[in-house]
Coordinates of all heavy atoms in Angstrom, one line a residue:
L95 N 14.0 8.2 -8.4 CA 13.3 8.5 -7.1 C 12.4 9.7 -7.2 O 11.7 10.0 -6.2 CB 14.4 8.6 -6.0 CG 15.4 7.5 -5.8 CD1 16.3 7.8 -4.6 CD2 14.6 6.1 -5.6
S96 N 12.6 10.5 -8.2 CA 11.8 11.8 -8.3 C 10.4 11.5 -8.6 O 10.0 10.5 -9.4 CB 12.4 12.6 -9.4 OG 13.8 12.7 -9.3
T97 N 9.4 12.3 -8.1 CA 8.0 12.2 -8.5 C 7.7 13.0 -9.7 O 7.9 14.2 -9.7 CB 7.1 12.7 -7.3 OG1 7.4 11.9 -6.1 CG2 5.7 12.5 -7.7
V98 N 7.4 12.3 -10.8 CA 7.1 12.9 -12.1 C 5.8 12.3 -12.6 O 5.3 11.3 -12.1 CB 8.2 12.7 -13.1 CG1 9.5 13.4 -12.6 CG2 8.5 11.3 -13.4
A99 N 5.2 12.8 -13.7 CA 4.0 12.2 -14.3 C 4.4 10.9 -14.9 O 5.5 10.6 -15.4 CB 3.5 13.2 -15.4
V100 N 3.4 10.0 -15.0 CA 3.6 8.6 -15.5 C 4.1 8.7 -17.0 O 5.0 7.9 -17.3 CB 2.3 7.8 -15.3 CG1 2.5 6.4 -16.1 CG2 2.0 7.6 -13.9
P101 N 3.5 9.5 -17.8 CA 4.1 9.6 -19.2 C 5.6 9.9 -19.3 O 6.3 9.5 -20.2 CB 3.2 10.6 -19.9 CG 1.9 10.6 -19.2 CD 2.3 10.4 -17.7
V102 N 6.0 10.7 -18.3 CA 7.4 11.1 -18.3 C 8.3 9.9 -17.9 O 9.4 9.7 -18.5 CB 7.7 12.2 -17.2 CG1 9.2 12.5 -17.1 CG2 7.0 13.5 -17.7
V103 N 7.8 9.0 -17.0 CA 8.4 7.8 -16.7 C 8.7 7.0 -18.0 O 9.8 6.5 -18.3 CB 7.6 7.0 -15.7 CG1 8.2 5.6 -15.5 CG2 7.6 7.7 -14.4
R104 N 7.6 6.8 -18.8 CA 7.7 6.0 -20.0 C 8.7 6.7 -21.0 O 9.5 6.0 -21.7 CB 6.4 5.9 -20.7 CG 5.4 5.2 -19.7 CD 4.1 4.8 -20.4 NE 3.1 4.4 -19.4 CZ 3.1 3.3 -18.8 NH1 4.1 2.4 -19.0 NH2 2.1 3.0 -17.9
E105 N 8.7 8.0 -21.1 CA 9.6 8.7 -22.0 C 11.0 8.5 -21.5 O 11.9 8.2 -22.4 CB 9.3 10.2 -21.9 CG 10.3 11.1 -22.6 CD 10.3 12.6 -22.0 OE1 9.2 13.0 -21.6 OE2 11.4 13.2 -21.9
L106 N 11.3 8.6 -20.2 CA 12.7 8.4 -19.7 C 13.1 7.0 -19.9 O 14.3 6.7 -20.2 CB 12.7 8.8 -18.3 CG 12.4 10.3 -18.0 CD1 12.5 10.6 -16.5 CD2 13.4 11.2 -18.7
A107 N 12.2 6.0 -19.8 CA 12.5 4.6 -19.9 C 12.9 4.4 -21.4 O 13.9 3.6 -21.7 CB 11.4 3.7 -19.5
E108 N 12.2 5.0 -22.3 CA 12.6 4.8 -23.8 C 13.9 5.4 -24.1 O 14.7 4.8 -24.8 CB 11.5 5.5 -24.6 CG 10.2 4.7 -24.6 CD 9.1 5.5 -25.4 OE1 9.4 6.5 -26.0 OE2 7.9 5.0 -25.4
T109 N 14.2 6.6 -23.5 CA 15.5 7.2 -23.7 C 16.6 6.3 -23.1 O 17.7 6.1 -23.8 CB 15.6 8.5 -22.9 OG1 14.6 9.4 -23.5 CG2 16.9 9.2 -23.1
C110 N 16.4 5.7 -22.0 CA 17.4 4.8 -21.4 C 17.6 3.5 -22.2 O 18.7 3.1 -22.4 CB 17.0 4.4 -20.0 SG 17.1 5.7 -18.7
A111 N 16.5 3.0 -22.7 CA 16.5 1.7 -23.5 C 17.4 1.9 -24.7 O 18.1 0.9 -25.1 CB 15.1 1.3 -23.9

Side-chain angles (χ1 to χ4, degrees):
L95 305 183
S96 312
T97 300
V98 299
V100 173
V102 173
V103 171
R104 303 191 188 286
E105 170 203 327
L106 298 178
E108 290 176 4
T109 299
C110 286

